[in-house]
Amino acid sequence: MSESLPTDSVGIVTPQTLHFDTPISLACNRTLDQYSLVYETYGTLNAQASNAVLICHALSGHHHAAGFHSSGDRKPGWWDSCIGPGKPIDTNRFFVVSANNLGGCHGSTGPGSNNPETGKPYGPDFPVITVRDWVKSQALLADRLGIQCWSAVVGGSLGGMQALQWSLDYPDRIRHAAVIASTPRLSAQNIAFNEVARQAITSDPEFYDGHYYQHHTLPRRGLMLARMVGHITYLSDASMGEKFGRELRDQAYKFAFDAEFQVESYLRYQGERFSETFDANTYLLMTKALDYFDPAHEYDNDLAKALRKARCEFLVLSFSTDWRFTPARSEELVSAMISARKRVSYAEIDAPWGHDGFLIPTPRYNAVFRAYMDRVAREVGA
Amino acid sequence: MSESLPTDSVGIVTPQTLHFDTPISLACNRTLDQYSLVYETYGTLNAQASNAVLICHALSGHHHAAGFHSSGDRKPGWWDSCIGPGKPIDTNRFFVVSANNLGGCHGSTGPGSNNPETGKPYGPDFPVITVRDWVKSQALLADRLGIQCWSAVVGGSLGGMQALQWSLDYPDRIRHAAVIASTPRLSAQNIAFNEVARQAITSDPEFYDGHYYQHHTLPRRGLMLARMVGHITYLSDASMGEKFGRELRDQAYKFAFDAEFQVESYLRYQGERFSETFDANTYLLMTKALDYFDPAHEYDNDLAKALRKARCEFLVLSFSTDWRFTPARSEELVSAMISARKRVSYAEIDAPWGHDGFLIPTPRYNAVFRAYMDRVAREVGA
């Protein structure tokens, strides 16, 4: 039935899993003795293994970035707009790898996985993971896939942080880093919103200090609240206004506490759906990874100093109405790259959707991204 | 011991209570048969009763706007910076009235008060209150105090909405309305944040559908979360950054879920303190009053049309870094006032503190506010 899929789709894709049994030491000074990573690939690795692109996902993302899991699948992967034949990350030219991060809840080893030492889910005993740990595990994945050097590591938001970290930790294994709708570190306000999300989850009585698996329950309300807060920060005030305004679900005010405005029922629905499909402990881990990310920290808070060891070229993109990671945050990063004498291309994309802009195709976003990736492809002979 | 109080303070003040036993009909089509309002006054009403100023409070505010409750009281009223001898609202000239709103939790009848019909607290059975209802009850309070016409009605945020509503509902009883850090109606994003707060409260298992009084408990966690979210929206990203940055409580990352960054412990502390002093049902009512406020609604969403019936003069102030109710929202209001041929003075105050700017004195804010109120005083012979 793949005939019915869009012609610019990578088509039906099948996730794969690799198991690692060499212990990996983590930034928190703990070790995972063994773990699995689930990933998808799109396109074909060329003979020189020079055309590989790594996609890094954001807070609630996963390995399924493009294509469909079956012919009946109604929704493609989360970045299908950018990955596929003829798309900015052109799968006719690139071999694309997209893995679920360690600590995730979509197949890679995470808090919901069984801890081999106890035979029970890790839960809150899963180590706190950092962006650097993810990059390390992705490098081990690259080894197994025979990829010595990525033509590009690409990501939006928390994914952009991974792309940036790649440039610092494996300067010889990455030619280009695309850091999209991201920031070199969270602001106090960003951390504050994450803390609200964490408090919502951990104060849910169904959370059981993270051991909810054994109690056969889920901290649904807490995760729902966390997602609602997050969702607001992903959208712009204007796009929420455009989408919902002050539209009522019914004609008149009800003077009660049901969802009355469209935006309320939308948020509740999104929150509820998310709370049934995402793992609360993973959510906690992801927010912590965001908070901790700060490559300048160990370089006297001098980002340019941190960037000196990078050898790749950079693409930085920001979105005009993104108030979570504003264009100013990308410009900080770009300034530091310039100070560190790195080659960097920067564009602020004019788009109304706030932080979510990086997921939504627009002509200029598409054109800029495509032009950059075309140059990457030509460089590596793809 | 009043010698030790600041000389520009109204000094020690004593709240007063008025009981009303004529039923008041509310916008929700329900009636309160009897109720009390607690209020404070500062200064002296002149013989013509022409120098009265009404202060309207915001979401978490109350009647105690200025002065101290005792000589040992460490904190003055919430707007002490603007109310007192020689201050913008000069109590040497004005008679200032500040009441706790109906539905409040600081002495006026609210969800925590006993319902005379049942002998138990109203709880969730307390009627949903609107800005218009507050204005109505304030007019009845004015009657009892012998005030036919306010020289000014003044408020910030939700208080500014009340000042605006006064101009529409009692055009002959108000000479000036000062609408500070406010908006003619909430945006979808504003409503969304309120909805998160409400969901946090109502999903707290200690909430018991609002009947927590009978269960001798409080929905502390929910109210704490609500306050944390609110608090973030009251501050600017820059002021949070200035105050907390990414400062850690300890030297190094702990890779755990305790509060690590200063901003986390600050928010937790603020949230916890609030949750012990504020009533959750009142919080719900206040957020609903905010959501519903929309004077243009019954005038084909034409704010200028709604404003035509106003006869007072307006002062509108906004704060440059307020992202909850941005200067653009105040400018909408000012434009509508100009379209409606009203007299309006407008200033955007450059201040770094976000929405909270209206509570924090700065030279320009002080000067503009003082100059306007000086004119009001001279007009009424005060």
Side-chain angles (χ1 to χ4, degrees):
Chain A
M1 300 291 283
S2 67
E3 294 80 28
S4 65
L5 295 175
T7 53
D8 62 351
S9 166
V10 299
I12 291 174
V13 295
T14 307
Q16 300 167 67
T17 301
L18 272 175
H19 188 73
F20 297 79
D21 47 20
T22 306
I24 183 171
S25 62
L26 304 166
C28 64
N29 282 322
R30 290 176 58 193
T31 295
L32 269 182
D33 287 340
Q34 47 173 292
Y35 54 95
S36 299
L37 293 177
V38 62
Y39 64 99
E40 292 181 359
T41 69
Y42 322 116
T44 310
L45 189 63
N46 63 15
Q48 309 81 33
S50 67
N51 69 334
V53 171
L54 176 67
I55 306 294
C56 304
H57 69 72
L59 202 162
S60 59
H62 43 65
H63 54 290
H64 183 41
F68 299 84
H69 277 163
S70 70
S71 58
D73 206 354
R74 283 183 307 169
K75 268 187 75 177
W78 57 269
W79 220 11
D80 197 80
S81 60
C82 289
I83 304 167
K87 292 179 182 172
I89 301 171
D90 188 345
T91 50
N92 289 332
R93 306 168 84 183
F94 290 113
F95 175 66
V96 179
V97 179
S98 172
N100 184 213
N101 283 355
L102 205 55
C105 55
H106 288 88
S108 291
T109 300
S113 309
N114 263 349
N115 180 347
E117 284 181 28
T118 64
K120 290 182 191 157
Y122 283 99
D125 302 326
F126 198 85
V128 169
I129 299 283
T130 65
V131 169
R132 176 165 270 177
D133 297 325
W134 284 329
V135 167
K136 195 181 208 177
S137 66
Q138 288 157 355
L140 295 164
L141 176 64
D143 293 343
R144 293 277 287 274
L145 297 176
I147 297 161
Q148 170 52 31
C149 183
W150 299 104
S151 63
V153 178
V154 178
S157 194
L158 179 55
M161 294 175 179
Q162 294 162 60
L164 182 58
Q165 192 72 51
W166 258 98
S167 76
L168 306 178
D169 290 355
Y170 298 97
D172 297 324
R173 300 191 67 178
I174 168 174
R175 295 180 68 103
H176 293 267
V179 182
I180 302 176
S182 194
T183 175
R185 61 182 188 181
L186 294 203
S187 69
Q189 189 189 74
N190 294 148
I191 295 173
F193 276 123
N194 280 346
E195 172 64 3
V196 171
R198 284 190 291 264
Q199 287 291 321
I201 291 169
T202 57
S203 72
D204 186 323
E206 312 278 355
F207 181 65
Y208 292 104
D209 289 329
H211 295 289
Y212 46 89
Y213 317 100
Q214 283 101 303
H215 290 81
H216 308 291
T217 182
L218 291 171
R220 279 195 191 83
R221 302 292 298 186
L223 194 51
M224 172 184 157
L225 286 170
R227 179 62 167 182
M228 287 173 77
V229 173
H231 208 95
I232 299 173
T233 70
Y234 304 149
L235 306 179
S236 69
D237 190 14
S239 67
M240 280 191 119
E242 187 75 31
K243 199 164 178 179
F244 306 108
R246 295 177 49 87
E247 288 303 310
L248 295 167
R249 297 180 69 205
D250 296 322
Q251 292 274 321
Y253 290 166
K254 288 190 287 186
F255 300 105
F257 291 94
D258 304 330
E260 277 189 89
F261 293 95
Q262 293 291 2
V263 66
E264 294 174 287
S265 51
Y266 170 80
L267 272 186
R268 286 191 196 179
Y269 173 76
Q270 293 291 333
E272 278 165 12
R273 209 178 53 168
F274 186 76
S275 72
E276 282 157 14
T277 56
F278 206 85
D279 180 70
N281 282 319
T282 290
Y283 201 90
L284 294 175
L285 288 179
M286 293 281 170
T287 63
K288 267 310 214 194
L290 278 162
D291 287 5
Y292 285 146
F293 181 72
D294 185 7
H297 186 62
E298 54 196 275
Y299 293 88
D300 310 320
N301 292 313
D302 182 343
L303 187 57
K305 213 162 155 186
L307 280 160
R308 268 188 220 141
K309 53 158 94 163
R311 298 184 55 190
C312 70
E313 208 171 316
F314 293 95
L315 170 68
V316 179
L317 296 178
S318 68
F319 294 82
S320 56
T321 57
D322 184 350
W323 63 276
R324 182 178 169 84
F325 301 150
T326 61
R329 313 303 306 281
S330 283
E331 285 157 25
E332 270 174 48
L333 178 58
V334 169
S335 296
M337 286 168 175
I338 291 169
S339 292
R341 306 282 184 272
K342 301 301 154 189
R343 293 177 72 183
V344 51
S345 304
Y346 172 61
E348 177 185 324
I349 307 295
D350 202 21
W353 300 285
H355 189 58
D356 268 359
F358 87 89
L359 296 167
I360 300 168
T362 48
R364 183 151 179 266
Y365 178 28
N366 211 297
V368 171
F369 199 4
R370 179 192 304 272
Y372 192 90
M373 293 307 293
D374 175 63
R375 185 155 68 79
V376 175
R378 280 186 284 120
E379 257 181 47
V380 298
Chain B
M1 299 294 282
S2 67
E3 294 81 28
S4 64
L5 295 176
T7 53
D8 63 351
S9 166
V10 298
I12 292 174
V13 294
T14 308
Q16 299 168 67
T17 300
L18 272 175
H19 189 73
F20 296 79
D21 48 20
T22 306
I24 184 172
S25 62
L26 304 166
C28 65
N29 282 322
R30 290 176 58 192
T31 295
L32 270 182
D33 286 340
Q34 47 173 290
Y35 55 95
S36 298
L37 292 178
V38 62
Y39 64 99
E40 292 181 0
T41 70
Y42 322 116
T44 310
L45 189 63
N46 64 14
Q48 309 81 34
S50 67
N51 69 333
V53 170
L54 177 67
I55 306 295
C56 303
H57 69 72
L59 203 162
S60 60
H62 43 65
H63 55 289
H64 184 40
F68 299 84
H69 277 163
S70 69
S71 58
D73 205 355
R74 281 184 307 169
K75 267 188 76 176
W78 57 268
W79 220 12
D80 197 79
S81 60
C82 289
I83 304 167
K87 291 179 183 172
I89 301 171
D90 188 344
T91 50
N92 289 332
R93 306 169 85 184
F94 290 112
F95 175 65
V96 179
V97 178
S98 172
N100 185 213
N101 283 355
L102 205 56
C105 55
H106 289 87
S108 292
T109 300
S113 309
N114 264 350
N115 180 347
E117 284 179 30
T118 64
K120 289 181 191 158
Y122 283 98
D125 302 325
F126 197 84
V128 169
I129 299 283
T130 65
V131 169
R132 176 165 271 177
D133 297 326
W134 284 330
V135 167
K136 194 181 207 176
S137 67
Q138 289 158 354
L140 295 165
L141 175 64
D143 292 342
R144 292 278 288 272
L145 297 176
I147 297 160
Q148 171 51 31
C149 183
W150 299 103
S151 63
V153 178
V154 179
S157 194
L158 179 54
M161 294 175 179
Q162 294 162 60
L164 183 57
Q165 192 73 50
W166 258 99
S167 75
L168 306 178
D169 291 354
Y170 298 96
D172 298 325
R173 301 191 66 177
I174 168 174
R175 295 181 68 103
H176 293 267
V179 182
I180 302 175
S182 194
T183 175
R185 60 183 189 181
L186 295 202
S187 69
Q189 188 190 73
N190 294 147
I191 295 173
F193 277 123
N194 280 346
E195 173 63 5
V196 171
R198 284 190 291 264
Q199 288 290 322
I201 291 169
T202 58
S203 72
D204 186 324
E206 311 278 356
F207 181 64
Y208 292 105
D209 289 328
H211 294 289
Y212 46 88
Y213 316 100
Q214 282 102 302
H215 290 82
H216 307 289
T217 181
L218 291 171
R220 278 195 192 82
R221 301 293 296 186
L223 193 52
M224 172 184 156
L225 287 170
R227 179 61 167 182
M228 288 172 76
V229 173
H231 207 95
I232 299 173
T233 69
Y234 304 150
L235 306 179
S236 69
D237 190 15
S239 68
M240 280 191 117
E242 187 74 30
K243 198 164 178 178
F244 306 107
R246 294 177 51 87
E247 288 303 311
L248 294 167
R249 296 180 69 203
D250 296 322
Q251 292 274 320
Y253 290 166
K254 288 189 288 187
F255 300 105
F257 291 94
D258 304 330
E260 276 191 270
F261 293 95
Q262 293 291 1
V263 66
E264 293 174 289
S265 51
Y266 170 79
L267 272 188
R268 284 190 197 182
Y269 173 76
Q270 293 291 333
E272 277 165 14
R273 209 177 53 166
F274 186 77
S275 73
E276 282 157 15
T277 56
F278 205 85
D279 179 70
N281 282 318
T282 289
Y283 201 88
L284 294 175
L285 288 179
M286 294 282 171
T287 62
K288 267 308 211 194
L290 278 162
D291 287 4
Y292 284 147
F293 181 71
D294 186 7
H297 186 60
E298 51 195 280
Y299 293 88
D300 310 321
N301 291 314
D302 182 344
L303 188 56
K305 214 162 155 187
L307 280 160
R308 270 189 218 140
K309 52 157 93 165
R311 298 184 55 190
C312 71
E313 208 171 314
F314 293 95
L315 171 67
V316 178
L317 296 177
S318 69
F319 294 82
S320 55
T321 57
D322 184 351
W323 63 277
R324 180 178 170 82
F325 301 149
T326 61
R329 314 302 308 279
S330 283
E331 286 157 24
E332 271 174 49
L333 179 57
V334 169
S335 296
M337 286 169 175
I338 290 169
S339 293
R341 306 283 184 272
K342 302 300 154 190
R343 293 178 71 182
V344 52
S345 304
Y346 172 62
E348 177 183 323
I349 308 294
D350 203 22
W353 300 286
H355 188 59
D356 267 0
F358 87 89
L359 295 167
I360 300 168
T362 48
R364 184 151 178 267
Y365 178 28
N366 212 296
V368 170
F369 199 4
R370 179 192 304 272
Y372 191 91
M373 293 307 293
D374 176 61
R375 186 156 65 78
V376 175
R378 281 186 284 117
E379 256 180 46
V380 298

